[in-house]
C-alpha cells in the first residue's frame, strides 16, 4: 500500500511538471467496437458541462465494457438517476476512469452489489468504496455491460477520466483516444449584446440576433452593424464527428478584434463545482425562453470558470465613434478543424432611437444580502449571493399561485419557498404538496417538507408555484403475465407503475413474503425482477407489490404465478 502511494505521489508530480501533461496510449477504448461518439467533453448540458465522452453502443445494451487501464475498482454507485449504475477505477498513474449508465456489472462485482441491495432492501446503493485488493482489474478486462440506466437518453456508455488527487475531470481525447473527425464546427446563429445603458447597436439600446451567411466551407460572415459603447457577442455553434449525425459541443471559442485576441476558452479540464457557471457562459434568458444556447464571447463578472484564458476587458468591446472594427469569432473542435465568423462594425455617434425600459418592482434583491419577502400566505427567503447581481423581483400571489419572477435568471444557490397552510384541515394537509406550475398542464412535484402550519420546499428555479392536492392512488399493472399463470420459461417479471399527481415515492415488492430487487426504468415506468436473483422453492408463488406516492396514497397488487425449477 505504501509503495503504491509513493509511486502515485511521484507520478502526480511528474504529470504536473512534465511537458507531456497526459500519458499517451495508456488508456484504451473502453468498448470493443470502433469509437463513435454521441456526446463530446465539455459540451453544454442543462446546468452543467458534460464531464466525459458519450460513446455509442450501436443503439443497444449489453456490449462489453472493459477497463481502460490496469487499476482497481475504488467506487461503485447505483442510483435511479444521474449515472445510473457506475464504476470508478483508480489507476496507479494518478487518474481515475468512470463508466456510467451500465446495465450489469461483471459477475464478481454484480454478486457483491446485489448482496448489498438485498441486505438493505434498496435498489440504490449510495457510494460504495473499496480498497485496492478487493476488486483489482487488468487493462482490457471486462468490468460491466453497457446499458441505459440513470439519466441516460438512450443506450450508450458515459466515460470519464479524472485526476485522482484533484477530482477535476479531463477531456479523454488528450490521452490519445482517437475519434475520426474531419468536420469543422457549424455556426447557426449570432447575437450582439448591449452591455450597459450607454451602449448602442444600430442606434438602439437592446440586444439583437444578427443574420449570418455561410460564404464557403468553414467561413461565415455576419451583417454589418453600427455601434457605440460596450458591446459583446454570443454564438450558437455545434460540431459533428465523422459518421455521426449528433450535434456536439466545440472544443474552443476565440474572438479576435482588429488583430488582438479579446476572448478565449477551451474545455481541456474543469472541476465539478464550477460547472454551474455554465449559466453565465450562455445567454440563460434566451435559453429558458427558446431552448437555444448562445455561448458568450465575454465573461460575466460573477463567473469563476477556470476555462477562460487571457481575456482583454473580459471580452467586452468598447466601440468608439468614427472607428471601424473587424471581429473574428473562431470555433475549433479537438482535432483543430476550424470555422470562423466575421463581423464588421462601424463606430457611430450615439443618437438614441430606442432604449429598453428597465424593470422596477417593490421587491429588490440586494445580491450580497439575505433577502426575505412575504405576501399573503407565501414567504420566499434567499441566502446571500443566491443571485449573481442585484435584481428587481416580480413577486405576486394570485388565485393561490405564487409567481416568483420568471425562470429566466440563473441562481447560484437554492432558496426556500414556504406556504402557510393553517387554513387547511388536518385531513386536507395529508394530501397537499407544493408543485411547480410554470407549465400548468404539466405540474411538477416539489419535495415538500411539512410542519404543522407551514409547508416548504427548496429550489434553484424561479417561476410559478402553488399547493395541489392528490387523492389518487398510484397505478399498478402486470406486464406479460396474468394472475394464476405459469411462468416457467420467463426470465423476468415485469410491472408497470405510474402516478398522476405527486409522483411515486417508493415501492416494495416481495415473492412469498421475501423482498425482491426490482429495477425501475423511470423512462418507461417499468419495474423488472430477474428470476436468476434467487432460487424459488416449490412451483406456486405469490408476488406482491406496494406502491406509494409522495403524499402517502398507497396501492397494492397481489398475483399468484407458477414456475417449475429448471436446472
Amino acid at each position: 500500500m505504501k509503495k503504491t502511494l509513493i509511486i502515485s505521489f511521484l507520478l502526480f508530480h511528474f504529470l504536473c511538471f512534465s511537458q507531456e501533461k497526459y500519458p499517451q496510449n495508456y488508456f484504451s477504448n473502453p468498448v470493443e467496437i470502433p469509437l463513435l461518439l454521441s456526446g463530446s467533453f465539455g459540451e453544454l448540458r442543462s446546468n452543467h458541462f458534460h464531464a466525459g465522452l458519450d460513446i455509442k453502443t450501436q443503439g443497444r445494451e449489453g456490449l462489453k465494457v472493459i477497463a481502460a487501464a490496469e487499476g482497481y475498482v475504488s467506487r461503485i454507485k447505483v442510483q435511479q438517476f444521474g449515472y445510473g449504475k457506475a464504476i470508478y477505477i483508480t489507476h496507479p498513474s494518478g487518474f481515475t476512469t468512470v463508466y456510467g449508465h451500465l446495465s450489469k456489472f461483471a459477475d464478481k462485482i454484480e454478486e457483491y452489489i446485489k448482496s448489498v441491495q438485498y441486505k438493505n432492501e434498496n435498489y440504490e446503493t449510495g457510494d460504495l468504496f473499496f480498497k485496492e485488493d478487493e476488486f483489482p482489474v487488468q487493462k482490457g478486462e471486462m468490468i460491466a455491460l453497457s446499458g441505459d440506466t440513470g439519466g441516460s437518453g438512450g443506450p450508450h456508455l458515459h466515460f470519464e477520466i479524472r485526476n485522482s488527487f484533484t477530482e477535476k475531470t479531463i477531456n479523454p481525447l488528450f490521452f490519445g483516444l482517437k475519434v475520426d473527425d474531419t468536420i469543422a464546427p457549424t455556426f447557426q446563429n449570432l447575437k450582439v449584446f448591449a452591455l450597459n445603458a450607454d451602449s448602442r447597436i444600430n442606434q438602439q439600446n437592446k440586444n439583437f440576433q444578427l443574420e449570418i451567411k455561410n460564404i464557403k466551407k468553414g467561413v461565415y460572415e455576419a451583417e454589418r452593424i453600427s455601434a457605440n459603447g460596450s458591446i459583446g457577442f454570443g454564438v450558437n455553434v455545434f460540431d459533428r464527428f465523422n459518421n455521426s449525425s449528433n450535434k456536439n459541443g466545440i472544443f474552443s471559442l476565440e474572438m479576435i478584434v482588429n488583430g488582438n485576441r479579446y476572448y478565449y476558452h477551451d474545455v481541456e479540464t474543469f472541476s465539478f463545482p464550477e460547472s454551474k457557471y455554465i449559466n453565465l457562459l450562455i445567454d440563460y434568458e434566451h435559453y429558458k425562453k427558446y431552448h437555444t444556447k448562445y455561448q458568450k464571447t465575454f465573461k460575466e463578472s460573477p463567473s469563476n470558470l477556470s476555462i477562460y484564458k487571457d481575456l482583454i476587458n473580459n471580452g467586452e468591446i468598447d466601440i468608439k465613434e468614427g472607428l471601424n472594427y473587424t471581429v473574428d469569432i473562431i470555433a475549433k473542435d479537438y482535432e483543430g478543424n476550424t470555422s470562423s465568423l466575421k463581423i464588421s462594425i462601424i463606430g457611430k455617434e450615439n443618437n438614441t432611437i430606442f432604449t429598453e425600459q428597465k424593470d422596477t418592482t417593490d421587491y429588490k434583491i440586494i445580491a450580497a444580502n439575505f433577502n426575505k419577502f412575504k405576501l399573503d400566505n407565501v414567504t420566499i427567503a434567499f441566502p446571500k449571493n443566491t443571485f449573481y447581481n442585484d435584481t428587481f423581483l416580480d413577486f405576486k400571489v394570485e388565485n393561490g399561485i405564487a409567481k416568483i419572477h420568471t425562470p429566466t435568471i440563473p441562481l447560484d444557490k437554492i432558496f426556500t419557498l414556504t406556504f402557510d397552510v393553517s387554513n387547511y384541515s388536518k385531513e386536507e394537509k395529508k394530501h397537499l404538496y407544493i408543485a411547480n406550475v410554470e407549465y400548468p398542464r404539466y405540474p411538477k412535484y416539489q419535495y415538500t417538507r411539512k410542519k404543522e402550519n407551514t409547508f416548504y420546499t427548496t429550489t434553484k428555479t424561479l417561476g410559478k408555484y402553488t399547493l395541489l392536492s392528490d387523492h389518487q392512488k398510484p397505478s399498478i399493472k402486470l406486464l406479460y403475465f396474468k394472475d394464476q399463470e405459469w411462468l416457467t420459461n420467463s426470465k423476468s417479471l415485469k410491472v408497470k407503475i405510474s402516478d398522476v399527481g405527486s409522483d411515486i415515492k417508493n415501492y416494495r415488492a416481495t415473492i412469498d413474503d421475501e423482498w425482491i430487487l426490482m429495477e425501475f426504468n423511470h423512462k418507461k415506468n417499468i419495474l423488472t425482477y430477474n428470476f436468476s436473483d434467487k432460487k424459488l422453492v416449490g412451483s406456486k408463488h405469490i408476488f406482491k407489490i406496494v406502491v406509494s406516492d409522495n403524499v402517502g396514497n398507497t396501492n397494492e397488487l397481489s398475483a399468484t404465478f407458477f414456475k417449475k425449477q429448471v436446472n
Side-chain angles (χ1 to χ4, degrees):
M1 181 69 179
K2 289 183 178 179
K3 183 179 179 182
T4 302
L5 287 172
I6 292 170
I7 292 172
S8 296
F9 179 80
L10 292 173
L11 280 168
F12 173 67
H13 280 271
F14 171 77
L15 291 170
C16 287
F17 298 107
S18 65
Q19 287 186 341
E20 185 66 73
K21 281 186 181 181
Y22 310 111
Q24 301 298 293
N25 304 315
Y26 178 82
F27 294 110
S28 66
N29 180 353
V31 290
E32 297 177 323
I33 57 174
L35 202 58
L36 289 176
L37 302 183
S38 60
S40 60
F41 181 87
E43 70 185 19
L44 310 179
R45 299 290 177 87
S46 178
N47 295 314
H48 68 284
F49 295 99
H50 189 225
L53 302 178
D54 282 346
I55 299 174
K56 292 192 175 189
T57 56
Q58 300 175 335
R60 57 194 176 98
E61 302 181 43
L63 270 65
K64 286 184 180 180
V65 177
I66 61 176
E70 177 188 1
Y72 70 96
V73 175
S74 55
R75 177 184 171 194
I76 289 176
K77 188 172 185 178
V78 177
Q79 57 185 330
Q80 190 60 57
F81 297 95
Y83 290 171
K85 295 182 180 182
I87 285 183
Y88 299 69
I89 297 178
T90 295
H91 306 279
S93 57
F95 298 99
T96 297
T97 49
V98 184
Y99 312 75
H101 308 306
L102 307 170
S103 63
K104 186 178 180 181
F105 302 111
D107 290 346
K108 186 178 178 181
I109 299 173
E110 181 79 4
E111 182 180 353
Y112 176 82
I113 295 303
K114 285 204 170 180
S115 71
V116 172
Q117 292 171 315
Y118 272 91
K119 179 182 177 181
N120 297 330
E121 295 191 357
N122 196 338
Y123 170 72
E124 296 195 323
T125 63
D127 286 308
L128 302 174
F129 296 97
F130 305 95
K131 298 178 181 178
E132 60 183 297
D133 58 349
E134 293 184 86
F135 294 112
V137 293
Q138 298 298 314
K139 185 174 184 176
E141 179 180 342
M142 192 196 91
I143 57 170
L145 297 177
S146 67
D148 186 25
T149 57
S152 167
H156 73 278
L157 174 67
H158 175 86
F159 178 67
E160 291 179 24
I161 300 178
R162 300 182 184 180
N163 182 309
S164 300
F165 300 89
T166 66
E167 278 294 305
K168 292 184 76 172
T169 186
I170 306 158
N171 191 334
L173 298 182
F174 275 91
F175 294 82
L177 296 180
K178 296 295 183 184
V179 182
D180 289 339
D181 185 5
T182 59
I183 304 171
T186 299
F187 284 105
Q188 288 189 293
N189 303 100
L190 171 68
K191 194 169 183 180
V192 59
F193 298 83
L195 297 180
N196 58 46
D198 297 324
S199 303
R200 298 293 180 269
I201 301 164
N202 292 342
Q203 296 297 317
Q204 300 186 60
N205 179 236
K206 60 182 293 187
N207 305 331
F208 285 93
Q209 287 180 260
L210 302 177
E211 293 290 331
I212 62 172
K213 294 180 180 179
N214 187 191
I215 305 302
K216 59 182 180 179
K217 185 177 179 180
V219 179
Y220 297 78
E221 191 172 284
E223 61 179 291
R224 188 171 63 178
I225 60 171
S226 64
N228 188 278
S230 184
I231 67 171
F233 289 97
V235 290
N236 173 222
V237 58
F238 70 87
D239 187 44
R240 278 198 173 106
F241 295 100
N242 293 7
N243 306 310
S244 177
S245 61
N246 301 81
K247 292 182 178 180
N248 301 121
I250 60 174
F251 172 71
S252 69
L253 190 63
E254 183 178 18
M255 182 175 70
I256 308 294
V257 181
N258 288 348
N260 296 311
R261 189 169 85 174
Y262 267 57
Y263 177 92
Y264 179 82
H265 86 254
D266 64 42
V267 285
E268 175 185 338
T269 180
F270 62 86
S271 66
F272 288 95
E274 67 178 303
S275 194
K276 64 184 178 181
Y277 293 113
I278 186 176
N279 291 330
L280 295 177
L281 174 70
I282 66 171
D283 181 354
Y284 187 80
E285 180 178 4
H286 190 99
Y287 166 61
K288 296 301 287 186
K289 287 180 177 178
Y290 307 109
H291 308 292
T292 300
K293 296 186 178 80
Y294 280 88
Q295 299 188 54
K296 298 173 184 174
T297 56
F298 58 94
K299 177 187 174 183
E300 297 279 9
S301 56
S303 176
N304 287 323
L305 278 174
S306 63
I307 63 175
Y308 297 119
K309 294 179 175 65
D310 304 324
L311 306 186
I312 294 179
N313 196 34
N314 282 333
E316 298 181 11
I317 309 169
D318 189 17
I319 304 297
K320 304 292 186 184
E321 180 187 348
L323 298 181
N324 294 332
Y325 299 80
T326 299
V327 176
D328 292 289
I329 299 177
I330 302 163
K332 294 183 180 180
D333 60 28
Y334 176 80
E335 291 296 333
N337 300 305
T338 303
S339 290
S340 62
L341 169 60
K342 186 181 295 293
I343 310 136
S344 297
I345 306 169
I346 300 172
K348 193 169 184 180
E349 182 182 0
N350 180 1
N351 294 318
T352 305
I353 294 177
F354 175 81
T355 301
E356 285 193 331
Q357 185 176 353
K358 301 300 179 183
D359 291 333
T360 58
T361 71
D362 294 332
Y363 304 96
K364 185 175 182 180
I365 295 287
I366 306 299
N369 297 344
F370 172 77
N371 297 270
K372 185 176 182 179
F373 307 111
K374 186 177 187 304
L375 187 60
D376 295 345
N377 68 324
V378 178
T379 303
I380 48 177
F382 301 94
K384 294 179 180 179
N385 300 314
T386 298
F387 289 78
Y388 292 111
N389 298 293
D390 293 353
T391 304
F392 283 102
L393 200 68
D394 183 11
F395 178 35
K396 299 174 183 175
V397 180
E398 296 177 349
N399 300 318
I401 297 175
K403 179 186 179 184
I404 309 164
H405 210 78
T406 59
T408 56
I409 298 177
L411 302 183
D412 187 80
K413 299 176 182 177
I414 60 174
F415 70 94
T416 302
L417 165 64
T418 304
F419 284 85
D420 185 325
V421 294
S422 56
N423 290 332
Y424 291 89
S425 70
K426 187 175 181 179
E427 183 61 27
E428 287 173 326
K429 290 175 186 176
K430 287 182 182 179
H431 298 276
L432 283 178
Y433 65 95
I434 300 172
N436 180 302
V437 288
E438 191 64 29
Y439 301 99
R441 292 180 60 187
Y442 305 100
K444 292 183 179 179
Y445 169 81
Q446 289 288 131
Y447 178 59
T448 305
R449 300 167 177 87
K450 297 185 175 183
K451 294 185 177 180
E452 184 176 356
N453 289 318
T454 58
F455 289 0
Y456 70 97
T457 189
T458 55
T459 178
K460 280 184 74 174
T461 304
L462 300 171
K464 296 177 182 177
Y465 294 85
T466 193
L467 292 169
L468 294 181
S469 185
D470 179 8
H471 291 265
Q472 192 168 334
K473 294 179 179 180
S475 168
I476 308 173
K477 181 182 179 182
L478 300 175
L479 292 181
Y480 314 123
F481 81 101
K482 298 177 181 178
D483 188 31
Q484 303 292 326
E485 192 169 12
W486 281 90
L487 300 178
T488 298
N489 297 321
S490 299
K491 294 182 179 180
S492 63
L493 185 154
K494 295 179 184 289
V495 177
K496 187 168 187 176
I497 62 175
S498 60
D499 188 75
V500 174
S502 59
D503 293 336
I504 291 167
K505 181 179 182 181
N506 54 47
Y507 58 89
R508 190 178 194 276
T510 60
I511 292 180
D512 302 334
D513 293 326
E514 290 190 7
W515 184 86
I516 58 171
L517 174 67
M518 298 200 80
E519 297 190 16
F520 186 38
N521 183 328
H522 61 271
K523 302 150 202 167
K524 298 179 180 179
N525 290 328
I526 293 176
L527 286 165
T528 302
Y529 167 69
N530 292 309
F531 283 118
S532 60
D533 278 6
K534 280 187 175 185
K535 187 174 182 179
L536 300 178
V537 178
S539 59
K540 181 180 180 180
H541 306 282
I542 298 175
F543 167 74
K544 182 178 180 180
I545 183 168
V546 180
V547 183
S548 299
D549 64 20
N550 279 290
V551 297
N553 296 312
T554 300
N555 197 5
E556 63 179 75
L557 179 148
S558 293
T560 299
F561 67 90
F562 301 88
K563 187 173 178 64
K564 290 181 180 179
Q565 301 308 310
V566 180
N567 296 327

